[in-house]
Amino acid sequence: MAAETFTWSPKRLLAGSEPDIITIPGTLLSGQNLAAGTLLESDAAGKWKVHANLGAKVAGILMNATNATADTAVTAYVAGNFWADQLTFPAAINTNLLKTKFVEGTSIVLAFSYRDWE
């Protein structure tokens, strides 16, 4: 008998409603073309940019894809439960353990498929 296989691929960023999903408005720095689910950091002025500095705290998760040809008003998730494989992490954050540690100290909770740990 042939083995049945399943492919699991969530279609959304949100993995659940606990903790509460919280969004805030902010400004995305110009010159960035980012996908929804990109992790953000804040600059000294409080404007958001793609998270690239591993020493910086995660400021949020970009809610919608945005091509910021100028500083652009956007919304970011700052709390909630998210599918880790749907988020865009810095390249150096490439294991589930690192991803979990990366958002430590924030109100962002990551969900993983059991297959992600195999």
Side-chain angles (χ1 to χ4, degrees), residues 3-18:
E4 188 173 6
T5 59
F6 295 93
T7 302
W8 184 79
S9 56
K11 302 295 184 205
R12 300 183 182 150
L13 295 177
L14 298 174
S17 59
E18 294 290 330

Side-chain angles (χ1 to χ4, degrees), residues 13 25 32 57 70 91 106 109-110:
L13 295 177
Q32 301 182 90
K57 184 177 179 183
T106 70
V109 174
L110 299 179

Side-chain angles (χ1 to χ4, degrees), residues 56-81:
K57 184 177 179 183
V58 173
I61 299 168
L62 188 63
M63 185 181 228
N64 298 305
T66 305
N67 186 3
T69 55
D71 285 3
T72 303
V74 295
T75 303
Y77 297 104
V78 294
N81 191 339

Side-chain angles (χ1 to χ4, degrees), residues 8-115:
W8 184 79
S9 56
K11 302 295 184 205
R12 300 183 182 150
L13 295 177
L14 298 174
S17 59
E18 294 290 330
D20 289 341
I21 298 162
I22 300 173
T23 62
I24 60 171
T27 302
L28 187 64
L29 283 172
S30 66
Q32 301 182 90
N33 186 6
L34 304 178
T38 299
L39 283 115
L40 304 170
E41 65 180 75
S42 293
D43 71 359
K47 294 181 181 179
W48 292 327
K49 59 184 179 178
V50 65
H51 199 298
N53 175 5
L54 298 183
K57 184 177 179 183
V58 173
I61 299 168
L62 188 63
M63 185 181 228
N64 298 305
T66 305
N67 186 3
T69 55
D71 285 3
T72 303
V74 295
T75 303
Y77 297 104
V78 294
N81 191 339
F82 302 89
W83 291 112
D85 66 346
Q86 299 295 299
L87 302 178
T88 302
F89 288 86
I93 307 301
N94 55 13
T95 69
N96 291 339
L97 181 58
L98 287 174
K99 290 175 183 180
T100 301
K101 291 213 170 278
F102 195 62
V103 298
E104 210 168 63
T106 70
S107 296
I108 295 167
V109 174
L110 299 179
F112 298 92
S113 160
Y114 75 92
R115 292 179 158 289

